[in-house]
Amino acid sequence: MSGLAALGGLGVWGFDPGRVFWGGRAIGRATELPRAGWTLTGTVISGGRARKKVAVELDGLREFQAHRPRLFALAYRMLGSATEAEDAVQETYLRWDGTDRATIRSAEAWLTTAIVNLCRTWLVSARARRETYVGPWLPEPVPTARGELGPLETVEERELVSLALLTALERLSPIERAVFVLREAFGYAHREIADMLAVSEANSQQIFRRAGIRVREGRPRFDVPADQARELIERFLKAARIGDIEALERMLAADVVSTADGGGQVNAARRPVVGAPAVARYVAGLFRWEVPGMQMVLEEINGTLAVVVRLAGEPALVVGVDTLDEVVTALRLIVNPEKLSYIERVVVE
């Protein structure tokens, strides 16, 4: 496959050879398109934003492609949504393609500045939409076993993409989130962040300190080894499948919280379920059902093991599991079909 085709899944043209991709789908033959550049007919609407017609200049596309994975990882951390992150990458490409690149000294700095400020703007409207969201809002889960969100080799790197931390980032203002993500997840110096966000270096430092306190206040970092977490989750699932309430309670922290995101599209608890006895009964009732073609597996989602339930191969439920000191401290159940669409599109080799 041509290297350009890797951009197909993010709504930028590519080819493999002979096929042209948009949104991860083949829509035509390259021989049917002009050689000098390709233009999309029609307008694609995503998340309420109209995508413009696209013409690709190959040198610019190649340079953009080199930065695309990092841009997606940045946008996802900013927005908490893989679908919106794809849109942000696409919009950033359109701006890149329409800019005189001879005036750009650093492609990385230009692209990073463009996408982080775009995400800041989108977060304002996203916050308004989430105020009317039906039930609790949770981040969109992303498989990470193949490096979809960049290297996750340390406990700190995994924590920074966890469903728990991304949920906590919702407490921050757009600029606080931008400073936190750029500094904590991508290691930019405060001087560089100040230039990107048009603030002073001292202000960037102050915003970062304030954001860190708000995000991590009262919440422990990851400290459970992967093998230990897997063993606990497997025992937890076994007890849930057979309805062993007493065993479930022993594996739950006394103040455990279970939060479900159905988005009003799927029946789900619209308020968090709190406390070991209530969560044990809730989980036992949830997992005791069985339908033909159902698979329940552990997969790496957002840097840690999660339960993924598939029906006829398609994801129907993702359960993020927080563990600490050999007990489950929080469950995050995502059943909103729109939030499972990214996992469905990812091709597992």
Side-chain angles (χ1 to χ4, degrees):
M1 176 180 290
S2 166
L4 298 179
L7 283 176
L10 296 183
V12 181
W13 289 100
F15 58 94
D16 173 21
R19 289 192 298 167
V20 177
F21 291 83
W22 178 264
R25 298 179 182 178
I27 62 171
R29 306 293 299 178
T31 54
E32 300 169 357
L33 301 171
R35 291 189 178 185
W38 308 309
T39 303
L40 176 67
T41 58
T43 302
V44 177
I45 305 296
S46 178
R49 295 176 291 277
R51 290 180 178 175
K52 302 174 184 178
K53 295 180 180 181
V54 179
V56 170
E57 184 270 306
L58 290 180
D59 288 341
L61 176 58
R62 291 189 183 98
E63 189 166 13
F64 182 85
Q65 180 190 5
H67 296 279
R68 183 203 62 79
R70 185 180 56 83
L71 295 176
F72 174 76
L74 171 57
Y76 175 72
R77 288 167 171 84
M78 281 289 296
L79 300 168
S81 166
T83 303
E84 292 181 358
E86 289 178 321
D87 289 347
V89 171
Q90 166 65 7
E91 178 63 28
T92 302
Y93 175 76
L94 293 175
R95 297 181 181 189
W96 166 260
D97 190 56
T99 298
D100 180 5
R101 289 187 292 278
T103 64
I104 297 174
R105 290 185 296 177
S106 168
E108 177 185 339
W110 191 96
L111 291 167
T112 301
T113 300
I115 201 164
V116 76
N117 283 294
L118 178 65
C119 289
R120 284 176 60 191
T121 301
W122 286 9
L123 278 172
V124 176
S125 59
R127 179 163 294 181
R129 291 195 306 272
R130 290 166 192 175
E131 288 178 356
T132 59
Y133 194 80
V134 179
W137 181 94
L138 292 174
E140 186 175 347
V142 171
T144 50
R146 300 190 302 171
E148 288 83 351
L149 295 178
L152 302 177
E153 299 172 353
T154 68
V155 170
E156 291 75 18
E157 288 170 342
R158 293 195 300 275
E159 182 205 25
L160 289 170
V161 297
S162 68
L163 294 174
L165 188 128
L166 290 171
T167 302
L169 287 179
E170 290 295 302
R171 305 171 189 166
L172 305 182
S173 68
I175 194 168
E176 287 174 334
R177 190 159 183 164
V179 171
F180 183 85
V181 168
L182 288 169
R183 178 61 179 166
E184 189 83 342
F186 291 87
Y188 283 101
H190 283 291
R191 174 179 49 78
E192 297 171 302
I193 296 172
D195 290 340
M196 292 179 195
L197 304 181
V199 298
S200 69
E201 185 174 349
N203 196 15
S204 175
Q205 294 171 340
Q206 184 180 29
I207 292 171
F208 177 70
R209 285 194 297 270
R210 184 170 66 241
I213 293 172
R214 294 183 65 191
V215 167
R216 293 201 169 94
E217 186 175 11
R219 195 177 63 80
R221 291 173 176 261
F222 287 1
D223 71 344
V224 179
D227 291 345
Q228 183 178 327
R230 175 181 290 275
E231 190 272 337
L232 174 60
I233 296 171
E234 288 176 344
R235 286 192 292 113
F236 183 79
L237 283 178
K238 182 178 179 180
R241 297 296 296 276
I242 64 175
D244 190 339
I245 303 296
E246 291 184 0
L248 284 171
E249 286 194 42
R250 289 195 296 270
M251 287 181 275
L252 293 169
D255 58 351
V256 62
V257 178
S258 176
T259 306
D261 181 342
Q265 299 191 45
V266 173
N267 187 28
R270 295 192 179 184
R271 294 181 180 179
V273 181
V274 181
V279 172
R281 291 192 299 271
Y282 175 66
V283 170
L286 176 68
F287 283 105
R288 289 191 70 178
W289 53 268
E290 183 85 42
V291 298
M294 186 181 81
Q295 294 178 308
M296 188 179 298
V297 296
L298 297 184
E299 298 181 15
E300 184 181 306
I301 302 291
N302 288 75
T304 190
L305 287 177
V307 180
V308 180
V309 178
R310 298 179 184 273
L311 300 177
E314 297 183 358
L317 167 66
V318 170
V319 184
V321 185
D322 290 2
T323 59
L324 179 67
D325 296 332
E326 300 187 3
V327 295
V328 174
T329 58
L331 297 171
R332 294 176 178 82
L333 292 78
I334 301 163
V335 291
N336 184 344
E338 292 182 358
K339 292 192 175 181
L340 300 176
S341 62
Y342 183 81
I343 291 181
E344 185 177 355
R345 294 198 304 273
V346 171
V347 178
V348 180
E349 296 179 347

